[in-house]
Amino acid sequence: MYRTHTCGELRADNIGESVTLSGWVQKIRNLGGMTFIDLRDRYGISQLVFDENIEKDLQSKLETLGREFVIQVSGEVIERASKNKKIATGEIEIAVNALEILNKSEVPPFTIEENTDGGDELRMKYRYLDLRRSCVKENLVLRHRIGHLVRNYLDTQNFIEVETPMLIKSTPEGARDFVVPSRMNPGTFYALPQSPQVFKQLLMVSGFDRYYQIVKCFRDEDLRADRQPEFTQIDCEMSFVEQEDVLNLFEGMTKHLFQEVRNVKLDKFPRMPWSEAMDKYGSDKPDIRFGMEFVELTDVAKGKDFAIFDNAAYIGAICAPACAKYTRKQLDKLTDFVKRPQVGAKGLVYVKYNEDGSFKSSVDKFYSADDLKIFADNCNAKPGDLLLILVGDDKRKAQEQLCELRLEMGNQLGLRDKNVFAPLWVVDFPLLEWNEDMNRFQAMHHPFTSPKSEDFSLIDTNPGDVRANAYDLVINGVEIGGGSIRIFDKDIQAKMFELLGFSKEQAEAQFGFLMNAFKYGAPPHGGVAFGFDRLVSMFAGLDTIRDVIAFPKNNSGRDVMIESPSPIAKEQLDELYLEQKEIDNL
Amino acid sequence: MYRTHTCGELRADNIGESVTLSGWVQKIRNLGGMTFIDLRDRYGISQLVFDENIEKDLQSKLETLGREFVIQVSGEVIERASKNKKIATGEIEIAVNALEILNKSEVPPFTIEENTDGGDELRMKYRYLDLRRSCVKENLVLRHRIGHLVRNYLDTQNFIEVETPMLIKSTPEGARDFVVPSRMNPGTFYALPQSPQVFKQLLMVSGFDRYYQIVKCFRDEDLRADRQPEFTQIDCEMSFVEQEDVLNLFEGMTKHLFQEVRNVKLDKFPRMPWSEAMDKYGSDKPDIRFGMEFVELTDVAKGKDFAIFDNAAYIGAICAPACAKYTRKQLDKLTDFVKRPQVGAKGLVYVKYNEDGSFKSSVDKFYSADDLKIFADNCNAKPGDLLLILVGDDKRKAQEQLCELRLEMGNQLGLRDKNVFAPLWVVDFPLLEWNEDMNRFQAMHHPFTSPKSEDFSLIDTNPGDVRANAYDLVINGVEIGGGSIRIFDKDIQAKMFELLGFSKEQAEAQFGFLMNAFKYGAPPHGGVAFGFDRLVSMFAGLDTIRDVIAFPKNNSGRDVMIESPSPIAKEQLDELYLEQKEIDNL
């Protein structure tokens, strides 16, 4: 037996007991003749003490120890002279009388501490050592805990977990698939799922009623900072539901998680139509921890011979409270911010509504104090506030730029507290969006999302105006999940494929089994999928999903620890009837 | 709102309530003017009754209904005239006053009943309809339930679930990998994991202490009846454990499952060394629901001028109780059985120990009654028993044949009751087995399994005799799980790779990260993996794992429902710098 207790469980109650512990040497301190060792395992740290009068044999073993050695010790639990209130085992220590070295350790390439000296790349190469750091480990423990809470919650709601296949079929709609050549069926390929979408819908056709799965999904995309080629979804589907049924159930689940994980009690989540989110926040995932909603000044600001305003398709303002005192330098910096290529505005107009009721603006040449007062009144500004105005030829683009500015002001004013949570359901998304490159509509969510019945009459005349029964859960400006009520009528589904430019043959070849399934009594159904990685990173207060994944890949899709992907043997390719073509210099 | 209740929950208590139900039309019966409909959902069946005096509108809707239509009905819960004790809702029925057809159904290609008229292939093509059959659906509900029980049990034991990557690295040791070409890293490939083995070991190096995962694994093998290219494992690993720690913990989990799922209380599982299992049962997964252990007669049966026995390397018998009355025809059938190519014996020798104490055998010419009495005594046979004897040049092969015969006799004598469960830990497996084709040893479990320390001195002189700290959990002759205590010393691991014919460079290229990890304080660790599909199929009393998988593939690795695998577009191949070679006529 390697241990009687873990390194995290001994307390004052255990004083006098003989115990055996195993773990890693975190720290060794020599104080006079006494030696203290912090012994670490997943559960905590226990202090070991080696008396100056210990046996020679024990003493000589002790002298060989170094950081990260794995040892087993036996001894008596004694009361500590100087207690450590910071750790749970801080009242006791173990007076060691036997020591066994289970494994040695070379000096690790970086320190195994909260604040390590290891750079990103080094820590990724030695991820197994990085995972020893308690801050990293705790993220994964949290991930486990949230997964467990989700499963237990859904179990109480009659959901059953059904595993859908990983080796499925490539479909050109949507993002790029990872493909898997089939050896037994030469010349053909499986694809890894981007989501279990069609399978969960088939399970509804089968009458499973409530399905969930915490499941790996795959997308072969050029990776941005917060994407991984493989990611995990909490994937759910329900039958005989309307939109509010789905929203309420998963609102309940989310509240449960906040209560259990963060001890935060959330109120009912507001619902906001997509068009309102775009007009007020320039984003379909607004951060509503703070106000500063957009005010459109397009009508009131024109007609004063200021060409930039007069020619604009959109003039929008936000009112930054108590910021009239911003200096020239601060305003210049904001102008630089909106002109960065990532934001892309041409310039920034400001209007200071000074405490004394006077106005100072970058457009004083064209607008009198009375004119500016009208701007201020439109924005509900008070003396001391600062209006920040962006204009654009393209309304959506200008709103997106204003969104960036609003978030930046939120940061500057400390309005985006990580310990405040503002959930929001964004609803009534458009069914379709126009794709310039392809010169056709594409599905905003996916081709299985149902149009709102009250908008269905527009589907031939104004397809772009048709709203969908689609919704996203947004928390603090981050999209945590999304879903829709699905089409369950085979004719509407066929119509949808037609709108998306599928020929009948293409639709049949790719989704024939689903259209077929709809012939045999498909129930009304809908669902949602949560990004599990993102959900956990939000609860962990992290900015990237990489820190909540045990073995993440880098921005080139590489696992630098195992050095994957890697070349394979020619025999493997031969068996698949594949040949590597010459690769361009990249 | 589509429903106030499900089709499985209304009871006598609800009589008088107005309810709304949604579901599928299972059956329609017209009795005089009354119409009865069985309405089905996942939760059960409720009987609807339509009075002969219902409104015209309702009547005309009713007349259009057919099997598998999806409908919504409202009405009053009333007491049934003739109660149905077989179903939970059998005391009530719903007097319908409103009906809406939510979706129509064509006539399904087979009946949605326990005993369907659909053949295997048809049911696979329309798997979504097959899944409506309650026997199929119940298998998946059971699967969910077992998964949930496993997770909750392991949670109480401090295990945490950590997701390991799906896109990993191809390694030539073991079975064939499925590979995934990388577009971002042209000319290189990921592999899909055959198991998370090295990652779970790295998690132990990281100090995760107790890990589990219910996880998809992949193996590109030619499929036998009970194999799938993707399958699910309950994968577990623990640190600071010896073999008995692992066995006891997972014995506890298995007992918990039997208690919860089958209401069966199991005793302590016996442990049997691999060599004993082979000698007594000719199998490393013996079915110990019944005896009939092998008795070796090699020594006592020789020397009577019967060349077949005299030249045999092994002569083994089983004693079939009370079977001396077997007829000539029955014995001929047994001879045919052992001569089938799947078994492969050359013939069968029988010895009848008649009730009157006399003997009758197929080798009477060579063996006197006294000789046969010695056989019988060796086998502890009683008058009325039947000895069945097989011989062979190769001991293991003959034992495997005798194993098949023993199982057949177990079947014939009704000794393999599906409701009796006989678990067994098979332990002390050999570390290595000789591979004739490759002319070298290969790992019996995998290259990370540790040798028994007491056998380690044999590793250079008699590697074939070294036993491993490896174990399998066998229930009723089916291998449910297996695992080992791992090597955690880098030098022993290097030695193991050397024994398996790896050059230093190969070992470094493929498992360098693991060997590296072992340099930094790897703890002693070990684990186990259960075949989740097989575990569930055992609890469901099924012979194949296919019936507990929602969307299984056929023996060619094809999903005939979605028609996968399938060809992909040339552009997809181009992006991967791959070219399809001409395919031989297959």
Side-chain angles (χ1 to χ4, degrees), chain A residues 1-3 22 24 42-43 68 70 102-107 128 131-132 140 143-144 148 151-152 155 158-170 176 179-181 183-190 202 205-210 216 218 220 222 230 232 240-242 488 513 516-517 519-524 550 553 555-558 561-566 568 572-575 577-584 586, chain B residues 1-3 22 24 42-43 68 70 102-107 128 131-132 140 143-144 148 151-152 155 158-170 176 179-181 183-190 202 205-210 216 218 220 222 230 232 240-242 488 513 516-517 519-524 550 553 555-557 561-566 568 572-575 577-584 586:
Chain A
M1 197 186 44
Y2 282 105
R3 62 188 175 193
S22 289
W24 284 263
R42 187 184 112 201
Y43 311 94
E68 301 304 321
V70 185
L102 298 174
N103 218 338
K104 294 177 190 175
S105 175
E106 294 186 9
V107 177
Y128 44 87
L131 287 171
R132 282 189 191 166
L140 292 174
R143 184 183 180 106
H144 162 67
H148 203 68
R151 289 181 202 278
N152 282 330
D155 200 62
N158 270 327
F159 283 76
I160 67 171
E161 183 161 34
V162 180
E163 292 173 59
T164 53
M166 288 280 147
L167 296 172
I168 63 164
K169 188 175 176 170
S170 189
R176 208 184 272 103
V179 296
V180 182
R183 181 184 53 86
M184 287 177 76
N185 304 274
T188 64
F189 293 77
Y190 302 100
L202 290 176
V205 174
S206 297
F208 274 72
D209 206 76
R210 294 186 164 199
K216 275 279 172 74
F218 304 84
D220 183 13
D222 299 322
E230 52 178 303
T232 305
F240 302 115
V241 287
E242 288 156 351
F488 69 106
F513 59 97
N516 227 3
K519 289 183 196 161
Y520 297 102
K553 293 184 176 55
N555 278 348
S556 319
R558 289 194 61 80
M561 179 187 73
I562 63 169
E563 292 181 45
S564 164
S566 59
I568 56 173
Q572 281 176 288
L573 278 178
D574 286 346
E575 279 194 323
Y577 292 90
L578 289 175
E579 204 155 28
Q580 192 71 58
K581 288 201 291 188
E582 207 172 312
I583 294 159
D584 319 342
L586 295 159
Chain B
M1 198 183 42
Y2 282 104
R3 61 188 176 195
S22 290
W24 284 262
R42 187 183 112 201
Y43 311 94
E68 301 303 320
V70 185
L102 299 174
N103 218 337
K104 295 176 190 173
S105 175
E106 294 186 9
V107 177
Y128 45 85
L131 287 171
R132 282 190 191 164
L140 292 175
R143 185 183 179 107
H144 161 68
H148 203 68
R151 288 180 202 279
N152 282 331
D155 200 61
N158 270 326
F159 283 76
I160 67 171
E161 184 162 32
V162 180
E163 292 173 60
T164 54
M166 287 282 147
L167 296 173
I168 64 164
K169 187 176 177 168
S170 189
R176 206 185 272 104
V179 296
V180 182
R183 181 184 54 87
M184 287 178 79
N185 304 273
T188 65
F189 293 77
Y190 302 100
L202 290 177
V205 174
S206 298
F208 274 71
D209 207 74
R210 294 185 165 201
K216 275 279 172 74
F218 304 85
D220 183 12
D222 298 323
E230 52 179 303
T232 305
F240 302 115
V241 286
E242 287 155 353
F488 69 106
F513 58 98
N516 226 3
K519 288 183 195 160
Y520 297 102
K553 293 182 175 57
N555 279 347
S556 319
M561 179 187 73
I562 64 170
E563 293 181 46
S564 165
S566 59
I568 56 173
Q572 281 176 287
L573 278 178
D574 287 346
E575 279 194 322
Y577 292 91
L578 289 175
E579 204 154 27
Q580 191 71 59
K581 287 201 292 189
E582 207 170 313
I583 294 159
D584 318 342
L586 295 159

Side-chain angles (χ1 to χ4, degrees), chain A residues 142-143 146 219 221 224-228 230-234 257-258 285 421 472-482 529-549, chain B residues 163:
Chain A
L142 176 68
R143 184 183 180 106
I146 293 175
R219 218 170 275 174
E221 288 176 305
R224 296 187 312 222
D226 210 22
R227 287 276 174 92
Q228 288 279 317
E230 52 178 303
F231 54 98
T232 305
Q233 289 202 341
I234 306 172
L257 292 178
F258 272 96
K285 36 180 191 281
F421 297 95
D472 276 357
L473 177 60
V474 175
I475 301 180
N476 295 357
V478 176
E479 182 197 326
I480 295 295
F530 289 86
F532 188 48
D533 309 295
R534 199 151 299 166
L535 185 75
V536 176
S537 73
M538 182 196 64
F539 276 112
L542 296 168
D543 292 322
T544 109
I545 61 170
R546 203 178 288 177
D547 293 334
V548 299
I549 296 172
Chain B
E163 292 173 60

Side-chain angles (χ1 to χ4, degrees), chain A residues 127-356:
Chain A
R127 181 65 168 172
Y128 44 87
L129 296 180
D130 199 30
L131 287 171
R132 282 189 191 166
R133 296 166 56 224
S134 77
C135 50
V136 184
K137 190 190 67 195
E138 286 308 323
N139 291 336
L140 292 174
V141 174
L142 176 68
R143 184 183 180 106
H144 162 67
R145 188 142 172 263
I146 293 175
H148 203 68
L149 286 167
V150 165
R151 289 181 202 278
N152 282 330
Y153 186 84
L154 292 176
D155 200 62
T156 65
Q157 302 293 318
N158 270 327
F159 283 76
I160 67 171
E161 183 161 34
V162 180
E163 292 173 59
T164 53
M166 288 280 147
L167 296 172
I168 63 164
K169 188 175 176 170
S170 189
T171 55
E173 183 73 5
R176 208 184 272 103
D177 287 318
F178 282 106
V179 296
V180 182
S182 165
R183 181 184 53 86
M184 287 177 76
N185 304 274
T188 64
F189 293 77
Y190 302 100
L192 300 178
Q194 296 184 30
S195 93
Q197 184 63 34
V198 290
F199 291 96
K200 68 176 176 175
Q201 292 194 241
L202 290 176
L203 287 173
M204 294 304 104
V205 174
S206 297
F208 274 72
D209 206 76
R210 294 186 164 199
Y211 143 95
Y212 83 96
Q213 194 180 187
I214 300 185
V215 61
K216 275 279 172 74
C217 300
F218 304 84
R219 218 170 275 174
D220 183 13
E221 288 176 305
D222 299 322
L223 300 174
R224 296 187 312 222
D226 210 22
R227 287 276 174 92
Q228 288 279 317
E230 52 178 303
F231 54 98
T232 305
Q233 289 202 341
I234 306 172
D235 191 51
C236 308
E237 197 79 4
M238 306 166 77
S239 289
F240 302 115
V241 287
E242 288 156 351
Q243 178 166 309
E244 273 297 312
D245 298 320
V246 180
L247 266 48
N248 287 330
L249 196 138
F250 290 98
E251 186 168 322
M253 184 183 92
T254 309
K255 282 177 179 173
H256 177 70
L257 292 178
F258 272 96
Q259 184 70 63
E260 293 290 319
V261 177
R262 305 279 312 212
N263 200 23
V264 166
K265 201 171 149 57
L266 294 176
D267 293 330
K268 187 168 168 60
F269 299 1
R271 275 82 169 140
M272 183 185 292
W274 177 86
S275 57
E276 184 183 335
M278 294 308 289
D279 283 347
K280 277 193 181 162
Y281 303 96
S283 168
D284 57 5
K285 36 180 191 281
D287 183 349
I288 61 165
R289 277 175 296 186
F290 63 106
M292 252 190 260
E293 286 98 350
F294 300 177
V295 177
E296 182 165 357
L297 301 176
T298 317
D299 291 338
V300 300
K302 291 198 176 193
K304 300 285 172 178
D305 291 336
F306 180 42
I308 292 174
F309 277 16
D310 285 350
N311 298 330
Y314 175 82
I315 305 171
I318 57 172
C319 172
C323 290
K325 60 182 184 293
Y326 259 42
T327 62
R328 179 84 215 183
K329 201 172 157 193
Q330 283 176 300
L331 291 166
D332 285 348
K333 264 188 129 173
L334 281 182
T335 306
D336 290 345
F337 174 84
V338 298
K339 287 166 112 174
R340 295 189 317 165
Q342 300 96 310
V343 181
K346 292 223 177 84
L348 173 69
V349 171
Y350 70 83
V351 178
K352 286 182 175 183
Y353 189 4
N354 296 316
E355 288 285 0
D356 62 6

Side-chain angles (χ1 to χ4, degrees), chain A residues 432-447:
Chain A
L432 303 163
E433 59 186 349
W434 185 255
N435 185 312
E436 289 289 349
D437 297 339
M438 292 192 281
N439 199 37
R440 66 163 173 87
F441 280 107
Q442 66 184 27
M444 193 135 178
H445 270 63
H446 53 54

Side-chain angles (χ1 to χ4, degrees), chain B residues 309-324:
Chain B
F309 276 17
D310 286 351
N311 297 330
Y314 175 81
I315 305 170
I318 56 172
C319 171
C323 290

Side-chain angles (χ1 to χ4, degrees), chain A residues 56-101:
Chain A
K56 247 193 183 155
D57 184 44
L58 184 51
Q59 179 63 38
S60 61
K61 271 190 201 164
L62 180 59
E63 282 163 9
T64 67
L65 294 185
R67 275 201 289 138
E68 301 304 321
F69 272 48
V70 185
I71 62 173
Q72 179 185 32
V73 293
S74 294
E76 193 188 333
V77 183
I78 59 173
E79 190 175 358
R80 270 209 215 181
S82 63
K83 303 205 171 31
N84 180 347
K85 302 259 172 205
K86 280 189 222 152
I87 61 172
T89 60
E91 300 208 335
I92 59 95
E93 59 193 4
I94 291 99
V96 175
N97 55 42
L99 164 67
E100 194 176 342
I101 297 172

